[in-house]
Amino acid sequence: MNLEQKLGFDQIRQSIKIRCSTGYAQQRAETEAVSYNSQTIEKRLALTDEMRLVAMFETKFPQGEFTDCTQFLKALTAEFSCISVENLRRLQNFLESLRQVLSFLKNTKPDQYPNIKQLAAPIQYFPEVSRRIDSILDKNGEIKDSASEELAKIRRELNTTQNAVSRKVQSIFKKAQSEGIADEDASISVRDGKLLIPVSTSNKRDLPGLVFDESSSGKTVFVEPLEVVEMNNKVRELHFAEQREIARILAEFTDFLRPYLSDIQKGAGFIGEVDFIRAKAEAAGMMQAGKPIISKDGVLRISKGRHPLLEATLRKEKKQIEPLSLEINKLKHILVISGPNAGGKSVCLKTVGILQYMFQWGMLVPCSEVSEFPVFNKIFIDIGDEQSIENDLSTYSSHLMNMKNMLKNADEKSLVLIDEFGAGTEPAAGGAIAETILEELDKRGVYGIITTHYTNLKVYAQNSSGTINGAMQFDSAKIQPLYKLELGVPGNSFAFELARKMGLPENIVHQAEEKAGESFVDLERQLRAISKNRRKLDEKLARIKNTDKNLESVTERYAQELSDIKETKKKIIQQAKDEAQQILVAANKKIEATIREIRENQAEKERTKLVREDLKKFNESLEQQKDSKQDRNIQAKMEQLVARKKRQEERKGRNMQHAVQQSTAEAMRDGLNFAHGALQEGKFVPGVLQVGSKVKIKGSDLIGEVMQISEKWINISVGDIISKVKNDSVEVISNKEFENACKSVYKPLIHNSLEIDERKLNFKTEIDVRGERLNDALDIVARYIDDAELVGASKVRILHGKGTGVLKEEIRKFLKTIPAVQSCTDEDVRFGGSGITIVQMK
């Protein structure tokens, strides 16, 4: 029994082979060997992983079986060879598959499936070859009449002749029936392409012709009428001519194809390789396997590893497998596993062996993608009963032969797997030999997984710097194994407990305990206590780590939220300042226009100068405001302007009073609109239509303020829009009515602004979609990115976990379709690594 059979990999190899549709791929599945080169392994793993993603998500990739053309293409390289019609059909199907694969790869994004694209880089597709085949074969794979003019001519003549023969035979048959030579219920028969008339043996001489065949009973003969013999001969000759012409067409096509054969053979090899990789990817998908990490520092770290064959068996029984997690490295390179019988020791050993072998074969491994595997130059295994009658070897002798081979060839680049180390002989001697061999392997730095029941090996593993104990956990209350590996402590055999469970008499078990000695029983009891305390300590450490992780997450989230709030506050303040500046500029323009009007009306220069100075001081006061006192300072300044305006009105004549009043009222109105929309009532006659009056457009809810009055028309300001309406289309309203109307109009806007501010304050920079189904997770991410874009977040975190990588892959594919997303990257390994996606917003 070889290594693959002992590990069970031969069954995995066979499962991949049956998934291959081409002979090339089946041969690859049979002959592919493990690799001892890390670059080769990485290449194989990357190709299989990319094909796994293609099979899962790409519907445009060819889904059916591929056609194998390697054998007959090789035969066509001979000088006088010629392609057959059947092989021409196969070549047509192959070229279509090649076209589809190359077209698919061409239409994907540049950074997608780089290794498969590299494999396809030297492959060429020749559309002219496909066009020539399409001109020869019809959709059913038969030679077309139009393949050549001569073939079309032959088939026309053949069809005409056959029709003539049919008409003639029908005529002779009806005559024979009317004359009683042929039975009334008989029908014309076809034998070897000839139309024959069935007649009874007694009447065969009454119908001139050749007897072509007779029935099994001998009572009926089938006659070829003499009148159509010559015509049938012509039909046969035309068939021969047809075949000769088809052979000529195929020979001509073969000569045309021969210059392309080398490139087409490469394409056939590429399709065969794709078929092989796809079979590996499909098998990996059934196992829920992923791409592990190639270890650079000699660490063998398996996280949630599952034996693929055992898992498949348990799945049929609707049971769950217990995942295996362990780690050995250059410092602790040998793991000694102990524990009760049927507790899972051998399963752990075989799981490590088959996962390592799958990894070096280039197969995706059923474990977490954070698992790490080193590349070993040699793998040795000693497991099971290998006694041989032919070679006169007992079970223990075969074990010793395996130990001899290990001691001869194993080094620090080797992995040894030894099941029931030291068993098969007298315990004292077997344990001593096993301990000595273990010590030698330890000195050499050999990596190993060893199972045993021997106490001396447990003691050695506990005291040696290069070895570590491992125990299979056991539920002592229920007296049943848990199939979980616990590192750092030796296992207990639980022999006496199992004996009691199996129903052995209590007195027998008690006597056995006495014979084993109190020291042995105490040792077993201490081992159980150590194991129990270790589990409690691990649970406490796990809770502490989880608490620390949650605390770090909350602290980081709060820090990010505080940063976002500060940034939002800064933006809001700057936006308010910008709006204030815009309003002030508009007010300045209006004041300047009023001043020009005053000058045109020959106003006093002194009064103009005072107005300009007041406006300048008001502008400077706005620029100096930095905190919450801004509103009060603006209000005080506006009150100064009002008082000064009143004094000017009292000193100056009535002629210029209206112009100055209008200018100042407009300046106050714009300034107070900036100061949160407070309205300052001007000096005019209430209820009379004049500049500054508050009006409502009749027949609507629109309100505004009179800006200018002419004989028939007035200009009113409705929000930011100046509208020209007729004088009789508006009605004057009070300031109270105007204020109430403004509140009702702007209330929804204020509410909406408050709602957005509330969403900004409640927005979190991180979401957790672990445990969600794929579609639900994508919906959550979609809504979350919408909120992030709404509140202006620059960067967010999506916690999806590592697992098999499917959820991460799908989320990132979805994020790439969102215009607001700039990039997606992994989090720093210290804060979650590939289990968290950092989304940078535009």
Side-chain angles (χ1 to χ4, degrees):
M1 186 181 292
N2 60 27
L3 177 62
E4 288 192 3
Q5 291 173 325
K6 292 177 181 178
L7 293 174
F9 184 79
D10 57 326
Q11 299 178 51
I12 295 177
R13 188 188 288 272
Q14 183 62 25
S15 71
I16 293 172
K17 180 182 176 181
I18 63 178
R19 286 180 166 87
C20 299
S21 56
T22 64
Y24 177 97
Q26 291 173 357
Q27 184 69 18
R28 290 279 285 111
E30 287 180 354
T31 59
E32 182 85 314
V34 295
S35 174
Y36 304 103
N37 182 278
S38 59
Q39 294 180 347
T40 301
I41 295 171
E42 174 62 32
K43 188 71 173 179
R44 292 178 181 179
L45 291 173
L47 283 168
T48 308
D49 191 46
E50 289 179 5
M51 188 60 72
R52 178 178 65 92
L53 296 176
V54 168
M56 290 175 63
F57 303 115
E58 304 292 354
T59 57
K60 294 183 179 180
F61 189 83
Q63 302 296 320
E65 294 186 352
F66 292 116
T67 303
D68 190 5
C69 298
T70 53
Q71 295 300 320
F72 77 80
L73 286 175
K74 184 177 180 181
L76 290 179
T77 57
E79 184 177 358
F80 298 105
S81 59
C82 181
I83 194 170
S84 65
V85 176
E86 180 183 357
N87 286 338
L88 187 62
R89 295 190 199 104
R90 297 170 66 187
L91 180 61
Q92 185 183 42
N93 294 333
F94 154 71
L95 289 174
E96 177 60 20
S97 297
L98 180 62
R99 183 194 67 78
Q100 291 177 358
V101 172
L102 295 179
S103 175
F104 165 78
L105 294 174
K106 181 180 178 181
N107 293 326
T108 57
K109 294 181 180 180
D111 58 341
Q112 283 185 301
Y113 317 122
N115 291 282
I116 300 179
K117 288 180 179 178
Q118 184 180 5
L119 190 67
I123 305 304
Q124 292 181 305
Y125 169 70
F126 300 97
E128 180 60 22
V129 176
S130 294
R131 191 194 66 78
R132 284 289 294 269
I133 296 176
D134 292 340
S135 69
I136 296 174
L137 296 180
D138 61 19
K139 62 181 181 180
N140 297 319
E142 302 295 335
I143 303 294
K144 291 181 177 179
D145 294 351
S146 60
S148 73
E149 293 183 2
E150 181 64 22
L151 182 61
K153 177 182 177 183
I154 291 171
R155 286 184 172 175
R156 283 196 302 270
E157 186 175 358
L158 178 61
N159 188 51
T160 301
T161 306
Q162 287 176 333
N163 290 336
V165 170
S166 177
R167 290 193 298 271
K168 189 65 176 177
V169 171
Q170 287 285 354
S171 176
I172 296 172
F173 179 62
K174 289 181 179 179
K175 183 179 179 182
Q177 284 180 321
S178 64
E179 294 176 354
I181 298 174
D183 295 337
E184 289 293 334
D185 58 349
S187 61
I188 296 174
S189 179
V190 179
R191 303 288 174 94
D192 292 341
K194 291 186 176 183
L195 298 177
L196 306 175
I197 298 176
V199 298
S200 62
T201 305
S202 59
N203 295 334
K204 66 181 179 180
R205 297 185 184 280
D206 297 333
L207 181 64
L210 303 176
V211 176
F212 191 84
D213 199 1
E214 69 176 6
S215 65
S216 58
S217 64
K219 294 181 180 181
T220 303
V221 295
F222 299 92
V223 178
E224 179 185 9
L226 193 59
E227 297 178 44
V228 298
V229 169
E230 188 63 29
M231 297 173 69
N232 280 333
N233 289 340
K234 185 178 179 180
V235 169
R236 184 178 291 272
E237 289 175 1
L238 289 172
H239 276 304
F240 290 149
E242 180 187 29
Q243 294 303 315
R244 287 194 299 271
E245 180 60 18
I246 290 175
R248 187 195 67 78
I249 293 171
L250 294 177
E252 183 181 283
F253 174 79
T254 304
D255 292 338
F256 161 78
L257 181 67
R258 199 162 275 120
Y260 300 98
L261 278 178
S262 177
D263 290 323
I264 293 177
Q265 282 180 301
K266 292 179 182 178
F270 167 72
I271 288 296
E273 195 68 26
V274 168
D275 187 25
F276 172 57
I277 297 170
R278 186 174 68 173
K280 290 170 61 179
E282 288 176 356
M286 292 295 294
M287 300 175 189
Q288 297 182 352
K291 181 176 177 288
I293 301 169
I294 298 181
S295 176
K296 303 299 183 182
D297 53 2
V299 174
L300 172 56
R301 181 184 296 112
I302 298 176
S303 177
K304 299 180 181 178
R306 310 178 313 277
H307 195 294
L309 303 180
L310 176 60
E311 185 176 28
T313 301
L314 293 176
R315 190 182 298 120
K316 293 178 182 178
E317 300 174 0
K318 298 183 178 180
K319 296 180 180 179
Q320 294 289 331
I321 193 171
E322 185 64 42
L324 171 68
S325 296
L326 61 82
E327 177 180 337
I328 53 177
N329 48 53
K330 289 183 178 180
L331 298 178
K332 295 287 186 180
H333 49 88
I334 296 178
L335 172 61
V336 178
I337 304 175
S338 52
N341 286 317
K345 299 189 300 298
S346 298
V347 172
C348 288
L349 182 143
K350 291 181 179 180
T351 300
V352 174
I354 197 168
L355 297 188
Q356 181 68 39
Y357 199 88
M358 290 172 66
F359 164 76
Q360 294 197 212
W361 194 72
M363 182 69 182
L364 300 183
V365 181
C367 63
S368 171
E369 292 184 342
V370 300
S371 301
E372 295 185 51
F373 290 85
V375 179
F376 293 113
N377 293 335
K378 304 181 189 71
I379 299 177
F380 302 93
I381 186 168
D382 178 62
I383 187 172
D385 187 357
E386 297 185 32
Q387 61 179 331
S388 171
I389 298 176
E390 293 81 1
N391 298 325
D392 193 25
L393 286 176
S394 66
T395 300
Y396 188 65
S397 298
S398 66
H399 289 324
L400 291 178
M401 289 295 294
N402 290 332
M403 295 305 106
K404 177 183 176 182
N405 185 37
M406 292 178 188
L407 291 172
K408 181 179 179 181
N409 299 296
D411 56 21
E412 71 279 359
K413 287 288 187 178
S414 302
L415 173 66
V416 299
L417 306 169
I418 306 175
D419 191 32
E420 299 294 349
F421 198 18
T425 188
E426 196 275 325
I433 294 174
E435 184 177 349
T436 306
I437 295 173
L438 175 59
E439 185 176 0
E440 178 61 25
L441 296 175
D442 185 13
K443 290 178 181 178
R444 296 185 188 183
V446 176
Y447 285 70
I449 307 293
I450 295 172
T451 69
T452 186
H453 285 286
Y454 287 173
T455 303
N456 63 316
L457 298 184
K458 302 177 192 177
V459 174
Y460 178 87
Q462 197 69 26
N463 296 328
S464 173
S465 61
T467 57
I468 182 175
N469 269 307
M472 300 308 300
Q473 295 182 10
F474 190 87
D475 189 337
S476 57
K478 297 181 180 179
I479 314 299
Q480 63 182 23
L482 300 176
Y483 305 109
K484 293 182 180 179
L485 177 64
E486 182 178 8
L487 298 178
V489 295
N492 192 322
S493 66
F494 292 95
F496 300 121
E497 288 80 357
L498 288 172
R500 288 188 174 93
K501 182 181 179 182
M502 297 303 295
L504 265 65
E506 178 60 30
N507 63 322
I508 298 295
V509 177
H510 184 68
Q511 292 179 23
E513 288 178 334
E514 290 180 348
K515 289 185 177 183
E518 185 177 349
S519 59
F520 177 81
V521 175
D522 287 343
L523 176 61
E524 293 286 298
R525 188 179 297 112
Q526 291 298 325
L527 288 176
R528 287 196 296 271
I530 292 172
S531 177
K532 184 177 180 180
N533 292 335
R534 175 64 181 271
R535 283 197 298 273
K536 290 183 178 179
L537 179 60
D538 289 342
E539 291 174 359
K540 289 182 179 179
L541 289 175
R543 287 196 297 269
I544 292 172
K545 288 181 179 179
N546 187 49
T547 302
D548 289 344
K549 182 179 179 181
N550 292 337
L551 181 59
E552 291 176 2
S553 176
V554 170
T555 302
E556 184 179 352
R557 184 170 70 250
Y558 284 165
Q560 184 64 41
E561 289 178 3
L562 180 60
S563 175
D564 291 345
I565 291 171
K566 289 181 178 178
E567 184 66 24
T568 302
K569 178 182 177 182
K570 183 179 178 181
K571 289 180 180 179
I572 292 173
I573 293 174
Q574 184 61 43
Q575 183 179 358
K577 288 182 178 181
D578 293 341
E579 292 176 357
Q581 187 65 30
Q582 292 174 3
I583 293 174
L584 184 60
V585 169
N588 285 340
K589 290 181 179 179
K590 291 184 179 181
I591 295 298
E592 291 293 340
T594 302
I595 292 173
R596 284 196 300 272
E597 183 178 354
I598 293 173
R599 288 177 176 175
E600 291 173 357
N601 290 296
Q602 298 180 351
E604 295 181 5
K605 294 183 179 181
E606 183 64 22
R607 181 170 55 194
T608 301
K609 182 177 180 181
L610 290 174
V611 172
R612 290 176 63 91
E613 288 178 354
D614 288 343
L615 182 62
K616 182 178 180 181
K617 292 179 180 179
F618 175 66
N619 190 6
E620 291 174 351
S621 68
L622 286 178
E623 293 293 330
Q624 295 172 357
Q625 307 309 313
K626 299 298 183 180
D627 53 20
S628 60
K629 297 180 180 180
Q630 181 180 19
D631 294 342
R632 295 195 298 271
N633 291 339
I634 292 173
Q635 183 64 31
K637 187 65 180 179
M638 295 307 298
E639 291 175 356
Q640 293 177 8
L641 287 175
V642 171
R644 185 167 296 173
K645 178 185 70 64
K646 289 181 179 179
R647 291 195 299 271
Q648 289 175 349
E649 288 177 350
E650 291 174 357
R651 291 196 302 266
K652 305 302 177 182
R654 296 177 59 89
N655 293 334
M656 301 306 299
Q657 181 179 359
H658 180 70
V660 174
Q661 178 180 333
Q662 180 180 351
S663 171
T664 308
E666 289 178 357
M668 287 190 296
R669 181 178 64 254
D670 291 335
L672 292 175
N673 280 338
F674 160 68
H676 306 298
L679 300 175
Q680 180 68 27
E681 185 177 351
K683 294 295 183 179
F684 53 85
V685 180
V688 178
L689 184 64
Q690 56 186 302
V691 173
S693 296
K694 309 301 187 294
V695 296
K696 177 181 177 181
I697 298 177
K698 297 178 180 178
S700 72
D701 295 327
L702 293 178
I703 58 172
E705 185 175 352
V706 178
M707 306 298 295
Q708 187 176 356
I709 302 177
S710 63
E711 185 176 353
K712 294 183 178 181
W713 300 89
I714 61 173
N715 291 340
I716 65 173
S717 172
V718 181
D720 294 331
I721 300 173
I722 304 298
S723 180
K724 185 176 182 181
V725 298
K726 290 184 178 181
N727 291 350
D728 58 355
S729 64
V730 299
E731 59 180 345
V732 178
I733 61 176
S734 65
N735 289 333
K736 184 78 172 177
E737 292 174 328
F738 183 84
E739 290 175 1
N740 293 336
C742 287
K743 290 180 181 178
S744 64
V745 170
Y746 292 113
K747 185 176 181 181
L749 297 177
I750 296 171
H751 178 270
N752 186 56
S753 176
L754 292 175
E755 182 181 0
I756 293 175
D757 289 341
E758 183 178 359
R759 291 179 68 181
K760 288 181 179 179
L761 292 175
N762 294 332
F763 179 78
K764 303 296 187 295
T765 60
E766 177 182 290
I767 58 167
D768 187 349
V769 296
R770 291 177 298 177
E772 299 287 346
R773 294 182 180 272
L774 179 58
N775 291 336
D776 295 339
L778 292 179
D779 289 341
I780 293 171
V781 171
R783 292 194 299 270
Y784 179 70
I785 294 300
D786 287 343
D787 288 346
E789 184 179 6
L790 176 65
V791 304
S794 60
K795 182 175 69 175
V796 295
R797 288 159 44 99
I798 300 176
L799 177 58
H800 44 65
K802 298 176 181 177
T804 61
V806 174
L807 183 59
K808 166 187 171 182
E809 186 74 19
E810 278 297 285
I811 288 175
R812 291 201 176 181
K813 284 178 67 177
F814 170 74
L815 290 172
K816 289 180 181 179
T817 65
I818 300 178
V821 174
Q822 180 174 344
S823 64
C824 303
T825 57
D826 287 343
E827 175 63 282
D828 189 281
V829 292
R830 297 172 297 176
F831 307 114
S834 60
I836 298 175
T837 292
I838 300 298
V839 183
Q840 195 72 35
M841 306 294 290
K842 291 183 180 179

